[in-house]
Amino acid sequence: MSLASALDAVVRDLRNTGGIKLRISEEPATSDPGYESVLLLSGQHWSTGLLAPLALTDDERLLQVADQVQEFVFEELLRLELPVTWPECPEHPASHPLTPVLTSGRPSWQCPKSGDTIAPIGALQK
């Protein structure tokens, strides 16, 4: 799975759940040949590099991309003084975010409290 494909799945979840607007610059965040990378940009002109080691499996790459995007979203939500709960757990609204994990052989969003798998990464719905 390419970095672009992994990023598409996570951005689809962000868009489907009403998260912040995220822009992606194709400018590499590193020149290290062991990584694919892009820059993530917020609406507030903040940016960070997103790095995906080429040695990862497809599932590991998707989990790592989901984790990095989630951290970027958390930072943006803090700057906007909004609750840091993306993606929000549907089992416990206004409580905590879901966690990206490998569950039943699939990269998924899981409730950290109950351990329930909510949806595969890329398939969240509002």
Side-chain angles (χ1 to χ4, degrees):
M1 170 178 289
S2 70
L3 173 58
S5 296
L7 198 50
D8 284 346
V10 179
V11 169
R12 184 172 44 252
D13 284 344
L14 188 60
R15 185 177 51 248
N16 287 347
T17 58
I20 66 164
K21 292 190 182 196
L22 177 71
R23 293 179 297 128
I24 300 158
S25 169
E26 297 301 321
E27 181 181 337
T30 183
S31 59
D32 187 322
Y35 292 86
E36 278 188 283
S37 65
V38 295
L39 289 176
L40 300 180
L41 307 151
S42 76
Q44 303 297 313
H45 306 291
W46 299 100
S47 68
T48 193
L50 184 137
L51 307 173
L54 294 172
L56 295 179
T57 66
D58 288 352
D59 290 343
E60 291 169 333
R61 179 179 295 253
L62 184 51
L63 285 175
Q64 186 171 48
V65 167
D67 186 59
Q68 289 180 70
V69 169
Q70 186 178 45
E71 286 299 317
F72 185 74
V73 170
F74 286 171
E75 290 174 18
E76 182 67 4
L77 291 170
L78 280 172
R79 282 192 273 282
L80 296 170
E81 299 180 6
L82 295 171
V84 181
T85 56
W86 183 83
E88 184 176 45
C89 179
E91 293 180 347
H92 308 100
S95 175
H96 58 262
L98 298 172
T99 304
V101 298
L102 188 62
T103 223
S104 301
R106 291 185 82 173
S108 301
W109 294 109
Q110 182 181 71
C111 170
K113 194 170 190 176
S114 70
D116 291 343
T117 299
I118 304 303
I121 294 174
L124 281 177
Q125 297 297 317
K126 190 157 185 140

